[in-house]
Amino acid sequence: MGGDFQGRNPDIQNAFRTYVGPDASIRADAGAKGDGGKVIVWSDDATRMYGSISARGGAQSGNGGFVETSGHSLDVTRGPDVSAPAGSAGTWLLDPVDLNLVAGDAVVGSTSSIIPARLFLAARR
């Protein structure tokens, strides 16, 4: 949504701004078997990600998927679910220009907000 991995795919046009509302859900979950899919929420300017994203691995086998939430200015209110009941957790890539971690009810203290994942922060060049 809004582009591809780090906005670098010339075959996919990048959005200038991307907004995902708090009631929206984006799912790239596997079924019984298989790895979770790939979800990209990207923009060249401002990305506002307030909904939920999941890229879960299969219930019987498979690893969690890949989620990227990126933009020059990035506002994310909850982490994605890239868990895998029978495999390894997936990856969440955050790629803003600057990163400020701010405690709040949407993330801190909520067991359903941040699902264990490999978290990568990319440095913009």
Side-chain angles (χ1 to χ4, degrees):
M1 174 179 298
D4 200 2
F5 179 72
Q6 294 188 317
R8 295 183 182 173
N9 185 343
D11 296 327
I12 297 177
Q13 183 175 350
N14 291 341
F16 181 66
R17 292 189 180 119
T18 303
Y19 174 83
V20 178
D23 296 326
S25 295
I26 302 170
R27 299 191 191 287
D29 300 332
K33 297 179 181 179
D35 294 340
K38 176 175 87 169
V39 175
I40 308 288
V41 180
W42 169 273
S43 77
D44 288 337
D45 183 52
T47 299
R48 304 291 180 254
M49 180 60 220
Y50 303 131
S52 66
I53 300 175
S54 65
R56 293 174 40 89
Q60 296 174 6
S61 67
N63 298 320
F66 176 84
V67 172
E68 176 183 4
T69 50
S70 299
H72 179 82
S73 171
L74 176 63
D75 188 6
V76 178
T77 57
R78 53 182 127 162
D81 181 352
V82 292
S83 63
S88 298
T91 301
W92 180 21
L93 172 65
L94 297 167
D95 191 9
V97 170
D98 294 309
L99 180 67
N100 296 311
L101 299 177
V102 180
D105 292 337
V107 175
V108 176
S110 174
T111 58
S112 64
S113 295
I114 299 276
I115 305 299
R118 292 185 305 257
L119 177 61
F120 290 96
L121 302 174
R124 294 262 177 144
R125 291 170 224 152

